[in-house]
Amino acid sequence: MKKLPVFLLICLLVGIISCKESENYWTQYEEWRDTNDAWFIEQLGAKDADGNPVYTKVVPSWDRSIYVLMKYYNDTSLNRDAQSPYQTSTVDVIYKGMLYNGTPFDSSYLKTDSIFRTQVDDNIKGWIVALEQMKVGDSCRVIIPQTLGYGAQLVSSLILPYTTLVFDMKLVAIPGLEKPVHE
């Protein structure tokens, strides 16, 4: 019976330390956070030479309060009948990850097999939103706000807390997903 209060005390201390670390990151990375957030907002309002939005704001049906920005490189009308993955689908993706300023931090091309196989819901929320929107064969740029990326986490020397993520990605395949039968 005495173990429960000790366990609760340990949990409380871990929680306090975690909150303290997040508070420190909030002030320590304030300039980085502000720069990333400002760049994201700038991309949201970016227009091409004809005055059309460069990116589409993509809002998932399962949470209307979040969104990513997407710009397709391919003609999406050509693969309109292709399949889209579910959150539980396994997908094959080729990608390159960058910071807002173009600094690369990861790429499937650096791996032995350039195709990255993953289950959709095993990724950051920004990837989940984008992949559910894509169809097999789509290539696009996805801009993910820090809240749908790694948030306040310090991931690496490049991916600091509050980092906006940019991915060029192509949905290559959805292994195991059968094509629907058309009547």
Side-chain angles (χ1 to χ4, degrees):
M1 196 67 166
K2 290 183 181 185
K3 289 183 180 183
L4 183 60
V6 172
F7 174 74
L8 291 175
L9 180 61
I10 291 171
C11 288
L12 180 64
L13 288 174
V14 168
I16 290 170
I17 291 168
S18 296
C19 287
K20 186 104 172 129
E21 187 175 89
S22 290
E23 287 174 22
N24 288 341
Y25 283 167
W26 184 257
T27 54
Q28 181 180 354
Y29 294 102
E30 181 176 13
E31 185 177 336
W32 177 253
R33 182 184 70 243
D34 291 347
T35 302
N36 276 264
D37 289 346
W39 184 82
F40 182 83
I41 296 300
E42 182 182 313
Q43 300 313 300
L44 178 61
K47 306 275 188 212
D48 65 15
D50 297 325
N52 300 314
V54 174
Y55 294 97
T56 301
K57 184 176 175 181
V58 177
V59 180
S61 60
W62 42 268
D63 187 343
R64 294 297 198 193
S65 68
I66 64 173
Y67 63 93
V68 299
L69 303 178
M70 293 178 71
K71 173 177 67 173
Y72 287 90
Y73 293 128
N74 62 294
D75 181 352
T76 57
S77 68
L78 298 177
N79 59 352
R80 187 175 298 145
D81 294 331
Q83 296 176 300
S84 291
Y86 302 106
Q87 282 193 22
T88 55
S89 297
T90 297
V91 293
D92 289 344
V93 180
I94 298 172
Y95 71 91
K96 177 182 174 187
M98 299 159 284
L99 305 179
Y100 81 93
N101 60 10
T103 303
F105 61 81
D106 191 16
S107 173
S108 63
Y109 296 103
L110 300 175
K111 299 172 180 21
T112 306
D113 181 5
S114 65
I115 296 190
F116 174 63
R117 180 167 283 177
T118 184
Q119 187 167 320
V120 173
D121 63 3
D122 284 345
N123 294 284
I124 57 174
K125 274 190 178 179
W127 261 52
I128 295 169
V129 172
L131 285 168
E132 283 185 327
Q133 182 71 24
M134 296 173 74
K135 294 188 177 290
V136 173
D138 280 343
S139 294
C140 63
R141 171 156 289 180
V142 181
I143 301 179
I144 301 172
Q146 55 94 4
T147 54
L148 301 183
Y150 297 105
Q153 293 180 52
L154 176 62
V155 177
S156 70
S157 61
L158 286 175
I159 304 178
L160 304 173
Y162 314 109
T163 296
T164 296
L165 304 171
V166 180
F167 286 94
D168 284 336
M169 50 198 299
K170 178 174 183 157
L171 179 57
V172 177
I174 307 172
L177 188 62
E178 295 181 20
K179 291 186 178 186
V181 177
H182 294 288
E183 295 180 21

